[in-house]
Amino acid sequence: MGGTTPQARQVQVFGTKKNADTRKALRFFAERRIFTHFVDFQERAPALGELRRFSERFGVSTLVDRESRRLLDLGLQRSMHSDDWWLQKLTEEPGMLKQPLVRFGSKGTVGLDENAWRDWLST
């Protein structure tokens, strides 16, 4: 890694510890000795600005986990609302987010995407 600072190799993982894909992401980076900053949505709700950054790249509909227990419990599986409404709702109900949200510099992913993460680490 000559010359690469630890901060330059830092990955941010957003999700909840009880989510299997979030745990897989944390394990993926730990096994490769990549420092990970984990933000647990159970402890700190997602910031609206952070969700906006992911939605600008991937679209709001990509952020919503249409199969999540929380979405089903709230009866929102067929709801049609504006992007702003969904972003606000996702900050209030992070259990409806597709997890994990992962950021590495200017790159990001929504959900489990080990192939993309391998590409990031190989460059």
Side-chain angles (χ1 to χ4, degrees):
M1 292 222 304
T4 303
T5 64
Q7 292 293 50
R9 302 291 289 177
Q10 181 174 328
V11 174
Q12 290 181 301
V13 177
F14 303 86
T16 58
K17 288 181 185 174
K18 67 181 185 178
N19 178 272
D21 287 344
T22 298
R23 289 192 311 270
K24 287 177 187 175
L26 293 169
R27 187 171 46 250
F28 175 90
F29 292 110
E31 288 171 351
R32 288 154 180 81
R33 295 191 170 109
I34 302 299
F35 179 77
T36 304
H37 176 76
F38 176 56
V39 177
D40 190 342
F41 290 150
Q42 293 294 104
E43 297 173 11
R44 193 180 100 200
L48 185 59
E50 192 65 54
L51 292 182
R52 278 194 199 287
R53 281 189 283 282
F54 277 95
S55 72
E56 287 168 1
R57 173 173 266 161
F58 301 104
V60 173
S61 62
T62 302
L63 298 178
V64 178
D65 183 354
R66 294 280 176 186
E67 297 177 13
S68 72
R69 165 67 58 204
R70 189 65 185 141
L71 186 96
L72 298 174
D73 288 348
L74 293 171
L76 296 173
Q77 61 270 30
R78 292 198 172 99
S79 291
M80 303 296 285
H81 294 284
S82 70
D83 286 354
D84 286 335
W85 185 92
W86 276 112
L87 287 172
Q88 184 61 45
K89 196 67 169 170
L90 291 170
T91 64
E92 298 164 6
E93 298 286 348
M96 296 189 314
L97 274 166
K98 187 173 282 188
Q99 297 179 44
L101 303 178
V102 181
R103 189 170 62 202
F104 182 69
S106 62
K107 300 170 182 155
T109 58
V110 176
L112 192 63
D113 194 345
E114 292 184 4
N115 290 331
W117 305 335
R118 277 189 200 92
D119 289 346
W120 298 349
L121 300 177
S122 68
T123 57

